[in-house]
Coordinates of all heavy atoms in Angstrom, one line a residue:
M1380 N 0.8 -1.2 0.0 CA 0.0 0.0 0.0 C 0.9 1.2 0.0 O 1.9 1.3 0.7 CB -0.9 0.0 1.2 CG -1.7 1.3 1.4 SD -2.5 1.5 3.0 CE -2.9 -0.1 3.5
L1381 N 0.5 2.2 -0.8 CA 1.2 3.4 -0.9 C 0.7 4.4 0.2 O -0.5 4.6 0.3 CB 1.0 4.1 -2.3 CG 1.7 5.4 -2.5 CD1 3.2 5.3 -2.5 CD2 1.2 6.0 -3.9
L1382 N 1.6 4.9 1.0 CA 1.3 5.9 2.0 C 1.6 7.3 1.4 O 2.7 7.5 1.0 CB 2.1 5.7 3.3 CG 1.6 4.5 4.2 CD1 2.5 4.4 5.4 CD2 0.2 4.7 4.6
I1383 N 0.7 8.1 1.5 CA 0.8 9.5 1.0 C 0.8 10.4 2.2 O -0.1 10.5 3.0 CB -0.3 9.9 0.0 CG1 -0.2 8.9 -1.2 CG2 -0.1 11.3 -0.4 CD1 -1.3 9.1 -2.2
P1384 N 1.9 11.2 2.4 CA 2.0 12.1 3.5 C 1.2 13.4 3.2 O 1.8 14.4 2.7 CB 3.5 12.4 3.7 CG 4.0 12.2 2.3 CD 3.1 11.2 1.6
C1385 N 0.0 13.5 3.7 CA -0.8 14.7 3.5 C -0.1 15.8 4.4 O 0.2 15.5 5.5 CB -2.2 14.5 4.0 SG -3.2 16.0 4.0
P1386 N 0.1 17.0 3.8 CA 0.8 18.0 4.6 C 0.0 18.5 5.8 O 0.5 19.2 6.7 CB 1.1 19.1 3.6 CG 0.2 18.9 2.5 CD -0.1 17.4 2.5
Y1387 N -1.3 18.2 5.8 CA -2.2 18.6 6.9 C -2.5 17.5 7.9 O -2.7 17.8 9.1 CB -3.5 19.2 6.3 CG -3.3 20.3 5.3 CD1 -3.3 20.0 4.0 CD2 -3.1 21.6 5.7 CE1 -3.1 21.0 3.0 CE2 -2.9 22.6 4.8 CZ -2.9 22.3 3.5 OH -2.7 23.2 2.5
C1388 N -2.6 16.3 7.5 CA -3.0 15.1 8.3 C -1.9 14.1 8.6 O -2.1 13.3 9.5 CB -4.2 14.4 7.6 SG -5.5 15.5 7.1
G1389 N -0.8 14.2 7.8 CA 0.2 13.2 8.0 C 0.0 12.0 7.1 O -0.9 12.0 6.2
P1390 N 0.8 10.9 7.2 CA 0.7 9.8 6.3 C -0.6 9.1 6.4 O -1.1 8.8 7.5 CB 1.9 8.9 6.7 CG 2.7 9.7 7.6 CD 1.9 10.8 8.2
R1391 N -1.2 8.8 5.2 CA -2.5 8.1 5.1 C -2.4 7.2 3.9 O -1.6 7.3 3.0 CB -3.7 9.1 4.9 CG -3.9 10.0 6.1 CD -4.4 9.3 7.3 NE -4.9 10.2 8.3 CZ -4.1 10.8 9.3 NH1 -2.8 10.6 9.3 NH2 -4.6 11.6 10.2
A1392 N -3.3 6.2 3.9 CA -3.4 5.2 2.8 C -3.8 5.9 1.5 O -4.6 6.8 1.5 CB -4.4 4.1 3.1
E1393 N -3.2 5.4 0.4 CA -3.5 6.0 -0.9 C -5.0 6.0 -1.2 O -5.5 6.9 -1.9 CB -2.8 5.1 -2.0 CG -3.1 5.6 -3.4 CD -2.5 4.6 -4.4 OE1 -1.9 3.6 -4.0 OE2 -2.7 4.9 -5.6
S1394 N -5.8 5.0 -0.6 CA -7.2 4.9 -0.9 C -8.0 6.1 -0.4 O -9.1 6.3 -0.8 CB -7.8 3.6 -0.3 OG -7.6 3.6 1.1
E1395 N -7.4 7.0 0.4 CA -8.0 8.2 0.9 C -7.9 9.4 0.0 O -8.4 10.4 0.2 CB -7.5 8.6 2.3 CG -7.8 7.6 3.4 CD -7.4 8.0 4.8 OE1 -7.1 9.2 4.9 OE2 -7.4 7.2 5.7
F1396 N -7.1 9.2 -1.1 CA -6.7 10.3 -2.0 C -7.2 10.1 -3.4 O -7.5 9.0 -3.8 CB -5.2 10.5 -2.0 CG -4.6 10.8 -0.7 CD1 -4.3 9.8 0.2 CD2 -4.3 12.1 -0.3 CE1 -3.7 10.1 1.5 CE2 -3.7 12.4 0.9 CZ -3.4 11.4 1.8
T1397 N -7.3 11.2 -4.1 CA -7.5 11.1 -5.5 C -6.4 12.0 -6.2 O -6.0 13.0 -5.7 CB -8.9 11.6 -6.0 OG1 -9.0 11.4 -7.3 CG2 -9.1 13.1 -5.7
C1398 N -5.9 11.5 -7.3 CA -4.8 12.2 -8.0 C -5.5 13.2 -9.0 O -6.4 12.8 -9.8 CB -3.9 11.3 -8.8 SG -2.5 12.1 -9.6
G1399 N -5.0 14.4 -9.0 CA -5.6 15.4 -9.9 C -4.7 15.7 -11.1 O -4.9 16.7 -11.8
G1400 N -3.7 14.8 -11.4 CA -2.9 15.0 -12.6 C -1.7 15.8 -12.3 O -1.3 16.1 -11.1
E1401 N -1.1 16.3 -13.4 CA 0.2 17.0 -13.3 C 0.0 18.3 -12.5 O -1.0 19.0 -12.7 CB 0.7 17.3 -14.7 CG 2.0 18.0 -14.7 CD 2.6 18.2 -16.1 OE1 2.0 17.7 -17.1 OE2 3.6 18.9 -16.2
G1402 N 0.9 18.6 -11.7 CA 0.9 19.9 -11.0 C 1.8 20.9 -11.6 O 2.6 20.6 -12.5
G1403 N 1.6 22.2 -11.2 CA 2.4 23.2 -11.7 C 2.1 23.7 -13.2 O 2.9 24.4 -13.8
V1404 N 0.9 23.3 -13.7 CA 0.6 23.7 -15.0 C 0.1 25.2 -14.9 O -1.0 25.4 -14.3 CB -0.5 22.8 -15.7 CG1 -0.9 23.3 -17.1 CG2 0.0 21.4 -15.7
A1405 N 0.8 26.1 -15.5 CA 0.4 27.5 -15.4 C -0.7 27.9 -16.3 O -0.7 27.5 -17.5 CB 1.7 28.4 -15.6
R1406 N -1.6 28.7 -15.9 CA -2.7 29.2 -16.7 C -2.1 30.2 -17.7 O -1.1 30.9 -17.4 CB -3.8 29.9 -15.9 CG -4.6 29.0 -15.1 CD -5.6 29.9 -14.4 NE -6.7 29.0 -13.9 CZ -7.8 28.8 -14.6 NH1 -8.0 29.4 -15.8 NH2 -8.8 28.0 -14.2
P1407 N -2.6 30.3 -18.9 CA -2.1 31.2 -19.9 C -2.2 32.6 -19.3 O -3.2 33.0 -18.8 CB -3.0 31.0 -21.1 CG -3.6 29.7 -21.0 CD -3.7 29.4 -19.5
A1408 N -1.2 33.4 -19.5 CA -1.2 34.8 -19.0 C -2.2 35.7 -19.8 O -2.8 36.5 -19.1 CB 0.2 35.4 -19.2
D1409 N -2.4 35.4 -21.0 CA -3.3 36.2 -21.8 C -4.1 35.3 -22.7 O -3.9 35.1 -23.9 CB -2.5 37.2 -22.7 CG -3.5 38.2 -23.4 OD1 -4.7 38.1 -23.2 OD2 -2.9 39.1 -24.1
P1410 N -5.2 34.7 -22.1 CA -6.0 33.6 -22.8 C -6.6 34.1 -24.1 O -6.8 33.3 -25.0 CB -7.0 33.2 -21.8 CG -6.8 34.0 -20.6 CD -5.7 34.9 -20.8
D1411 N -6.9 35.4 -24.2 CA -7.6 35.9 -25.4 C -6.6 35.8 -26.7 O -7.1 35.9 -27.8 CB -8.0 37.3 -25.3 CG -9.2 37.4 -24.3 OD1 -9.9 36.4 -24.1 OD2 -9.3 38.5 -23.6
R1412 N -5.4 35.7 -26.4 CA -4.4 35.6 -27.5 C -4.1 34.2 -28.0 O -3.3 34.0 -28.9 CB -3.1 36.3 -27.2 CG -3.3 37.8 -27.0 CD -1.9 38.5 -26.7 NE -2.1 39.9 -26.6 CZ -1.8 40.7 -27.6 NH1 -1.3 40.2 -28.7 NH2 -1.9 42.0 -27.5
L1413 N -4.6 33.2 -27.3 CA -4.3 31.8 -27.7 C -5.1 31.3 -28.8 O -6.3 31.6 -28.9 CB -4.5 30.9 -26.5 CG -3.7 31.1 -25.2 CD1 -4.0 30.0 -24.2 CD2 -2.2 31.1 -25.6
G1414 N -4.5 30.6 -29.7 CA -5.1 29.9 -30.8 C -5.6 28.6 -30.3 O -5.4 28.1 -29.2
D1415 N -6.3 27.8 -31.2 CA -6.9 26.5 -30.9 C -5.8 25.5 -30.4 O -6.0 24.8 -29.5 CB -7.7 26.0 -32.0 CG -9.0 26.7 -32.2 OD1 -9.4 27.5 -31.3 OD2 -9.6 26.6 -33.3
A1416 N -4.7 25.5 -31.2 CA -3.6 24.6 -30.9 C -3.0 24.9 -29.5 O -2.7 24.0 -28.7 CB -2.6 24.6 -32.0
Q1417 N -2.9 26.2 -29.2 CA -2.3 26.5 -27.9 C -3.3 26.2 -26.8 O -2.8 25.7 -25.7 CB -1.9 28.0 -27.9 CG -0.8 28.3 -28.8 CD -0.7 29.8 -29.1 OE1 -1.7 30.5 -29.4 NE2 0.5 30.3 -28.9
W1418 N -4.6 26.4 -27.0 CA -5.5 26.0 -26.0 C -5.5 24.5 -25.8 O -5.6 24.0 -24.7 CB -7.0 26.4 -26.4 CG -7.3 27.7 -25.8 CD1 -7.6 28.9 -26.5 CD2 -7.5 28.1 -24.4 NE1 -7.8 29.9 -25.7 CE2 -7.8 29.4 -24.4 CE3 -7.3 27.4 -23.3 CZ2 -8.0 30.1 -23.2 CZ3 -7.5 28.1 -22.1 CH2 -7.9 29.4 -22.0
A1419 N -5.4 23.7 -26.9 CA -5.4 22.3 -26.8 C -4.2 21.8 -26.0 O -4.2 20.9 -25.1 CB -5.4 21.6 -28.2
D1420 N -3.0 22.5 -26.2 CA -1.8 22.1 -25.5 C -2.0 22.4 -24.0 O -1.7 21.6 -23.2 CB -0.6 23.0 -26.0 CG 0.0 22.4 -27.2 OD1 -0.4 21.3 -27.6 OD2 0.8 23.2 -27.9
Y1421 N -2.6 23.5 -23.7 CA -2.8 23.9 -22.3 C -3.8 22.9 -21.6 O -3.6 22.5 -20.5 CB -3.3 25.3 -22.2 CG -3.8 25.7 -20.8 CD1 -3.0 25.7 -19.7 CD2 -5.2 25.9 -20.6 CE1 -3.5 26.0 -18.4 CE2 -5.7 26.2 -19.3 CZ -4.8 26.2 -18.2 OH -5.3 26.5 -17.0
L1422 N -4.9 22.6 -22.3 CA -5.9 21.8 -21.6 C -5.6 20.3 -21.6 O -6.0 19.6 -20.6 CB -7.2 22.0 -22.4 CG -7.9 23.4 -22.3 CD1 -9.1 23.5 -23.2 CD2 -8.3 23.7 -20.9
F1423 N -5.0 19.8 -22.6 CA -4.9 18.3 -22.7 C -3.5 17.7 -22.7 O -3.3 16.6 -22.4 CB -5.5 17.9 -24.1 CG -7.0 18.4 -24.2 CD1 -7.3 19.3 -25.1 CD2 -7.9 17.9 -23.3 CE1 -8.6 19.7 -25.3 CE2 -9.2 18.3 -23.4 CZ -9.6 19.2 -24.4
M1424 N -2.5 18.5 -23.0 CA -1.1 17.9 -23.2 C -0.4 17.9 -21.8 O -0.3 19.0 -21.2 CB -0.3 18.6 -24.2 CG -0.9 18.6 -25.6 SD -1.4 16.9 -26.2 CE 0.3 16.2 -26.4
R1425 N -0.1 16.8 -21.3 CA 0.6 16.7 -20.0 C 1.9 15.8 -20.2 O 2.0 15.0 -21.0 CB -0.3 16.1 -19.0 CG -1.5 16.9 -18.7 CD -1.1 18.2 -18.0 NE -2.2 19.1 -17.7 CZ -2.6 20.1 -18.4 NH1 -2.0 20.4 -19.5 NH2 -3.6 20.8 -18.0
R1426 N 2.8 16.1 -19.3 CA 4.1 15.3 -19.3 C 3.8 13.9 -18.8 O 2.8 13.8 -18.0 CB 5.1 16.0 -18.4 CG 5.6 17.4 -19.0 CD 6.5 18.1 -18.0 NE 6.9 17.2 -16.9 CZ 8.1 16.9 -16.6 NH1 9.1 17.4 -17.3 NH2 8.4 16.2 -15.5
N1427 N 4.5 13.0 -19.2 CA 4.4 11.6 -18.7 C 5.8 11.0 -18.5 O 6.2 10.1 -19.2 CB 3.5 10.8 -19.7 CG 3.2 9.4 -19.2 OD1 3.3 9.2 -18.0 ND2 2.9 8.5 -20.1
P1428 N 6.5 11.6 -17.6 CA 7.9 11.2 -17.5 C 8.1 9.9 -16.8 O 7.3 9.4 -16.0 CB 8.5 12.3 -16.6 CG 7.3 12.7 -15.7 CD 6.1 12.6 -16.6
K1429 N 9.2 9.3 -17.1 CA 9.7 8.1 -16.4 C 10.7 8.7 -15.3 O 11.8 9.0 -15.7 CB 10.4 7.2 -17.3 CG 10.9 5.9 -16.7 CD 11.5 5.0 -17.7 CE 11.9 3.7 -17.1 NZ 12.6 2.8 -18.1
G1430 N 10.2 8.8 -14.1 CA 11.0 9.3 -13.1 C 10.2 10.3 -12.3 O 9.0 10.2 -12.1
L1431 N 10.9 11.4 -11.8 CA 10.2 12.3 -10.9 C 9.1 13.1 -11.6 O 9.4 13.6 -12.8 CB 11.2 13.3 -10.3 CG 12.2 12.7 -9.3 CD1 13.2 13.7 -8.8 CD2 11.4 12.1 -8.1
H1432 N 8.0 13.2 -11.0 CA 6.8 13.9 -11.6 C 6.1 14.8 -10.6 O 5.9 14.3 -9.4 CB 5.9 12.9 -12.2 CG 4.8 13.4 -13.1 ND1 3.5 13.1 -13.0 CD2 4.9 14.4 -14.0 CE1 2.8 13.7 -13.8 NE2 3.6 14.5 -14.5
H1433 N 5.8 16.0 -10.9 CA 5.1 16.9 -10.0 C 3.6 16.6 -10.3 O 3.1 16.8 -11.4 CB 5.5 18.3 -10.4 CG 4.7 19.4 -9.6 ND1 4.9 20.7 -9.9 CD2 3.8 19.3 -8.7 CE1 4.1 21.4 -9.1 NE2 3.4 20.6 -8.3
E1434 N 2.9 16.2 -9.2 CA 1.4 15.9 -9.3 C 0.6 16.7 -8.2 O 1.2 17.1 -7.2 CB 1.2 14.4 -9.0 CG 2.0 13.5 -10.0 CD 1.9 12.1 -9.6 OE1 1.8 11.7 -8.4 OE2 2.1 11.2 -10.5
Q1435 N -0.7 16.8 -8.5 CA -1.6 17.4 -7.5 C -2.4 16.2 -7.0 O -2.9 15.4 -7.7 CB -2.5 18.4 -8.2 CG -1.9 19.5 -8.8 CD -2.9 20.4 -9.5 OE1 -3.3 21.4 -9.0 NE2 -3.3 20.0 -10.7
W1436 N -2.6 16.2 -5.6 CA -3.4 15.2 -5.0 C -4.4 15.9 -4.1 O -4.1 16.9 -3.5 CB -2.5 14.2 -4.2 CG -1.8 13.2 -5.1 CD1 -0.6 13.5 -5.8 CD2 -2.1 11.9 -5.3 NE1 -0.2 12.4 -6.4 CE2 -1.1 11.4 -6.2 CE3 -3.1 11.0 -4.9 CZ2 -1.1 10.1 -6.6 CZ3 -3.1 9.7 -5.3 CH2 -2.1 9.2 -6.2
R1437 N -5.5 15.2 -3.9 CA -6.6 15.7 -2.9 C -6.9 14.7 -1.9 O -7.1 13.5 -2.3 CB -7.8 16.1 -3.7 CG -8.9 16.7 -2.7 CD -10.0 17.3 -3.5 NE -11.0 17.8 -2.6 CZ -12.2 17.4 -2.5 NH1 -12.7 16.6 -3.4 NH2 -13.0 18.0 -1.6
H1438 N -6.9 15.0 -0.6 CA -7.2 14.1 0.4 C -8.7 14.1 0.6 O -9.3 14.6 1.6 CB -6.5 14.6 1.7 CG -6.5 13.5 2.8 ND1 -5.9 13.7 4.0 CD2 -6.9 12.2 2.8 CE1 -6.0 12.6 4.7 NE2 -6.6 11.7 4.0
V1439 N -9.4 13.3 -0.3 CA -10.9 13.4 -0.3 C -11.5 12.7 0.9 O -12.6 13.1 1.3 CB -11.4 12.7 -1.6 CG1 -11.1 13.5 -2.8 CG2 -10.9 11.3 -1.7
S1440 N -10.9 11.7 1.5 CA -11.5 11.1 2.7 C -10.9 11.6 4.0 O -11.0 10.9 5.0 CB -11.2 9.5 2.6 OG -11.9 9.0 1.5
G1441 N -10.2 12.7 3.9 CA -9.6 13.3 5.1 C -10.0 14.8 5.1 O -11.1 15.1 5.2
C1442 N -9.0 15.6 5.0 CA -9.2 17.1 5.2 C -9.8 17.7 3.9 O -10.3 18.8 4.0 CB -7.8 17.7 5.5 SG -6.6 17.5 4.2
G1443 N -9.8 17.0 2.8 CA -10.4 17.5 1.6 C -9.6 18.5 0.8 O -10.0 19.1 -0.2
R1444 N -8.3 18.7 1.3 CA -7.5 19.7 0.7 C -6.6 19.2 -0.4 O -6.2 18.0 -0.4 CB -6.6 20.3 1.7 CG -7.3 21.1 2.7 CD -6.4 21.6 3.8 NE -7.0 22.8 4.4 CZ -6.5 23.4 5.5 NH1 -5.4 22.9 6.1 NH2 -7.0 24.4 6.0
W1445 N -6.3 20.1 -1.4 CA -5.4 19.8 -2.5 C -4.0 20.1 -2.0 O -3.8 21.1 -1.2 CB -5.7 20.7 -3.7 CG -6.9 20.2 -4.4 CD1 -8.2 20.7 -4.3 CD2 -7.0 19.2 -5.4 NE1 -9.0 20.1 -5.1 CE2 -8.3 19.2 -5.9 CE3 -6.0 18.4 -6.0 CZ2 -8.8 18.3 -6.9 CZ3 -6.5 17.5 -7.0 CH2 -7.8 17.5 -7.4
F1446 N -3.0 19.4 -2.5 CA -1.6 19.7 -2.2 C -0.8 19.1 -3.4 O -1.3 18.4 -4.2 CB -1.2 19.1 -0.9 CG -1.4 17.7 -0.7 CD1 -0.3 16.8 -0.9 CD2 -2.6 17.1 -0.3 CE1 -0.5 15.4 -0.8 CE2 -2.8 15.8 -0.2 CZ -1.8 14.9 -0.4
N1447 N 0.5 19.4 -3.3 CA 1.5 19.0 -4.3 C 2.3 17.8 -3.9 O 2.7 17.8 -2.7 CB 2.4 20.2 -4.7 CG 1.7 21.3 -5.3 OD1 1.3 21.3 -6.5 ND2 1.4 22.4 -4.5
V1448 N 2.6 17.0 -4.8 CA 3.5 15.8 -4.5 C 4.5 15.7 -5.6 O 4.2 15.9 -6.8 CB 2.6 14.5 -4.5 CG1 3.5 13.3 -4.4 CG2 1.7 14.5 -3.3
R1449 N 5.7 15.4 -5.3 CA 6.7 15.0 -6.3 C 6.9 13.5 -6.1 O 7.4 13.1 -5.0 CB 8.0 15.7 -6.2 CG 8.9 15.4 -7.4 CD 10.1 16.3 -7.5 NE 10.9 16.2 -6.4 CZ 12.0 16.9 -6.2 NH1 12.4 17.8 -7.1 NH2 12.7 16.8 -5.1
R1450 N 6.6 12.7 -7.1 CA 6.6 11.2 -7.0 C 7.4 10.6 -8.2 O 7.3 11.1 -9.3 CB 5.1 10.7 -7.0 CG 5.0 9.2 -6.9 CD 3.5 8.8 -6.9 NE 2.9 9.1 -8.2 CZ 2.9 8.2 -9.2 NH1 3.5 7.1 -9.1 NH2 2.3 8.6 -10.3
D1451 N 8.1 9.6 -7.8 CA 8.8 8.9 -8.9 C 7.9 7.9 -9.5 O 7.3 7.0 -8.8 CB 10.0 8.2 -8.3 CG 11.0 7.6 -9.3 OD1 10.4 6.8 -10.2 OD2 12.2 7.8 -9.3
T1452 N 7.7 8.0 -10.8 CA 6.7 7.2 -11.5 C 7.1 5.7 -11.7 O 6.3 4.9 -12.0 CB 6.3 7.8 -12.9 OG1 7.5 7.8 -13.7 CG2 5.7 9.1 -12.7
V1453 N 8.4 5.5 -11.4 CA 8.9 4.1 -11.6 C 8.8 3.4 -10.2 O 8.3 2.3 -10.1 CB 10.4 4.1 -12.1 CG1 10.9 2.7 -12.1 CG2 10.4 4.8 -13.4
S1454 N 9.3 4.0 -9.2 CA 9.4 3.4 -7.8 C 8.2 3.8 -6.9 O 8.0 3.2 -5.9 CB 10.7 3.8 -7.1 OG 10.6 5.2 -6.8
Y1455 N 7.4 4.7 -7.3 CA 6.3 5.3 -6.5 C 6.8 6.0 -5.3 O 6.0 6.5 -4.5 CB 5.3 4.2 -6.1 CG 4.5 3.7 -7.3 CD1 4.9 2.6 -8.0 CD2 3.3 4.3 -7.6 CE1 4.2 2.2 -9.1 CE2 2.5 3.8 -8.7 CZ 3.0 2.7 -9.4 OH 2.3 2.3 -10.5
R1456 N 8.1 6.2 -5.1 CA 8.6 6.9 -3.9 C 8.2 8.4 -4.0 O 8.4 9.0 -5.1 CB 10.1 6.7 -3.9 CG 10.7 7.3 -2.6 CD 12.2 7.0 -2.6 NE 12.9 7.8 -3.6 CZ 13.3 9.1 -3.4 NH1 13.1 9.7 -2.2 NH2 14.0 9.7 -4.3
I1457 N 7.7 8.9 -2.9 CA 7.4 10.3 -2.8 C 8.5 11.0 -2.1 O 8.8 10.6 -1.0 CB 6.0 10.5 -2.1 CG1 4.9 9.9 -2.9 CG2 5.8 12.0 -1.8 CD1 3.6 9.8 -2.2
D1458 N 9.1 12.0 -2.8 CA 10.3 12.6 -2.1 C 10.0 14.1 -1.7 O 10.8 14.7 -1.0 CB 11.5 12.5 -3.0 CG 11.5 13.5 -4.2 OD1 10.4 14.0 -4.5 OD2 12.6 13.8 -4.7
A1459 N 8.8 14.6 -2.0 CA 8.5 15.9 -1.6 C 7.0 16.1 -1.6 O 6.3 15.6 -2.5 CB 9.1 17.0 -2.5
V1460 N 6.5 16.8 -0.6 CA 5.1 17.2 -0.5 C 5.0 18.6 0.0 O 5.8 19.0 0.9 CB 4.3 16.2 0.5 CG1 2.9 16.7 0.8 CG2 4.4 14.8 0.0
W1461 N 4.2 19.4 -0.6 CA 4.0 20.8 -0.1 C 2.6 21.3 -0.4 O 2.0 20.9 -1.3 CB 5.1 21.7 -0.7 CG 5.0 21.9 -2.2 CD1 4.6 23.0 -2.9 CD2 5.5 21.0 -3.3 NE1 4.7 22.9 -4.2 CE2 5.2 21.7 -4.5 CE3 6.0 19.8 -3.3 CZ2 5.5 21.1 -5.7 CZ3 6.3 19.2 -4.5 CH2 6.1 19.8 -5.7
R1462 N 2.2 22.2 0.5 CA 0.8 22.8 0.3 C 0.8 23.7 -0.9 O 1.8 24.1 -1.4 CB 0.5 23.6 1.6 CG 0.5 22.8 2.9 CD 0.1 23.6 4.1 NE 0.6 25.0 4.0 CZ 1.5 25.5 4.9 NH1 1.9 24.7 5.9 NH2 1.9 26.7 4.8
M1463 N -0.4 24.0 -1.3 CA -0.6 24.9 -2.4 C -0.1 26.3 -2.2 O 0.3 27.0 -3.1 CB -2.1 24.9 -2.8 CG -2.6 23.7 -3.4 SD -1.8 23.3 -5.0 CE -2.7 21.8 -5.5
D1464 N -0.1 26.7 -0.9 CA 0.4 28.1 -0.6 C 1.9 28.1 -0.3 O 2.4 29.2 0.1 CB -0.4 28.7 0.5 CG -0.3 28.0 1.8 OD1 0.3 26.8 1.8 OD2 -0.7 28.5 2.8
E1465 N 2.6 27.0 -0.5 CA 4.0 27.0 -0.3 C 4.8 26.9 -1.6 O 4.3 26.5 -2.6 CB 4.4 25.7 0.5 CG 3.9 25.7 1.9 CD 4.3 24.4 2.6 OE1 4.2 23.3 2.0 OE2 4.7 24.5 3.8
A1466 N 6.0 27.4 -1.6 CA 6.9 27.4 -2.7 C 7.3 25.9 -2.9 O 7.5 25.2 -1.9 CB 8.1 28.3 -2.6
P1467 N 7.5 25.5 -4.2 CA 8.0 24.1 -4.4 C 9.4 24.0 -3.9 O 10.2 25.0 -4.0 CB 7.8 23.9 -5.9 CG 7.7 25.3 -6.5 CD 7.1 26.2 -5.4
P1468 N 9.8 22.8 -3.6 CA 11.2 22.6 -3.2 C 12.1 22.7 -4.4 O 11.7 22.7 -5.5 CB 11.2 21.2 -2.6 CG 10.0 20.5 -3.2 CD 9.0 21.6 -3.5
A1469 N 13.4 22.9 -4.1 CA 14.4 23.0 -5.2 C 14.3 21.8 -6.1 O 14.1 20.7 -5.7 CB 15.8 23.1 -4.6
G1470 N 14.5 22.0 -7.4 CA 14.4 21.0 -8.4 C 13.1 20.7 -9.0 O 13.0 20.0 -10.0
V1471 N 12.0 21.3 -8.5 CA 10.7 21.2 -9.1 C 10.4 22.4 -10.0 O 10.8 23.5 -9.6 CB 9.6 21.1 -7.9 CG1 8.2 21.1 -8.5 CG2 9.8 19.9 -7.0
P1472 N 9.9 22.1 -11.2 CA 9.6 23.3 -12.0 C 8.8 24.3 -11.3 O 7.8 24.0 -10.6 CB 8.8 22.7 -13.2 CG 9.2 21.2 -13.2 CD 9.5 20.9 -11.8
G1473 N 9.2 25.6 -11.4 CA 8.6 26.7 -10.7 C 9.3 27.1 -9.5 O 9.1 28.1 -8.9
A1474 N 10.3 26.2 -9.1 CA 11.1 26.5 -7.9 C 12.4 27.3 -8.2 O 13.1 27.7 -7.3 CB 11.6 25.2 -7.2
G1475 N 12.6 27.5 -9.5 CA 13.7 28.3 -9.9 C 15.0 27.4 -10.1 O 16.0 27.9 -10.5
G1476 N 14.9 26.2 -9.9 CA 16.0 25.3 -10.1 C 15.8 24.5 -11.4 O 15.0 24.8 -12.2
A1477 N 16.6 23.5 -11.6 CA 16.5 22.6 -12.8 C 15.2 21.9 -12.7 O 14.7 21.5 -11.7 CB 17.7 21.7 -12.9
S1478 N 14.6 21.6 -13.9 CA 13.4 20.8 -13.9 C 13.7 19.5 -14.5 O 13.6 18.6 -14.7 CB 12.3 21.5 -14.8 OG 12.8 21.7 -16.1
Ligands
ZN249 ZN1 -5.4 15.6 4.8

């Protein structure tokens, strides 16, 4: 069983959570200027890396809150968890480090 460390409740079973997909996807700065292809990229195209991946999870059977997870898609190991109002740790896209 995968234990996910909710930043509000602590470690809980994966069955209490739902994955909301890739995290850190920035909304377009000026949506009126996007063409159809750019909208399609924003709405539907997501990374599918082999290795570390930034994801959004919600603790649906607990506090109900959304938070960020960096999880290795091969080993399932979670190496970072942070709240939505926190800055991502170094090495996560948006943290100012390497992505
Ligand atoms: Zn929670």
Side-chain angles (χ1 to χ4, degrees):
M1380 173 193 329
L1381 179 65
L1382 284 179
I1383 298 176
C1385 174
Y1387 304 97
C1388 307
R1391 298 289 193 274
E1393 177 189 1
S1394 58
E1395 294 187 12
F1396 297 84
T1397 186
C1398 183
E1401 183 176 353
V1404 178
R1406 289 180 161 270
D1409 190 357
D1411 292 334
R1412 291 183 177 262
L1413 295 185
D1415 290 344
Q1417 292 166 310
W1418 268 115
D1420 282 347
Y1421 168 67
L1422 293 172
F1423 304 114
M1424 301 306 290
R1425 296 294 179 259
R1426 294 172 11 118
N1427 187 20
K1429 182 178 182 181
L1431 291 176
H1432 191 225
H1433 175 184
E1434 301 171 333
Q1435 301 177 98
W1436 286 77
R1437 183 172 179 238
H1438 194 184
V1439 291
S1440 298
C1442 62
R1444 292 177 156 170
W1445 286 95
F1446 58 96
N1447 296 284
V1448 170
R1449 185 169 63 183
R1450 182 179 64 87
D1451 189 307
T1452 60
V1453 177
S1454 67
Y1455 288 88
R1456 187 176 69 84
I1457 294 171
D1458 76 340
V1460 174
W1461 66 103
R1462 298 185 322 248
M1463 288 298 183
D1464 62 347
E1465 293 179 317
V1471 175
S1478 57

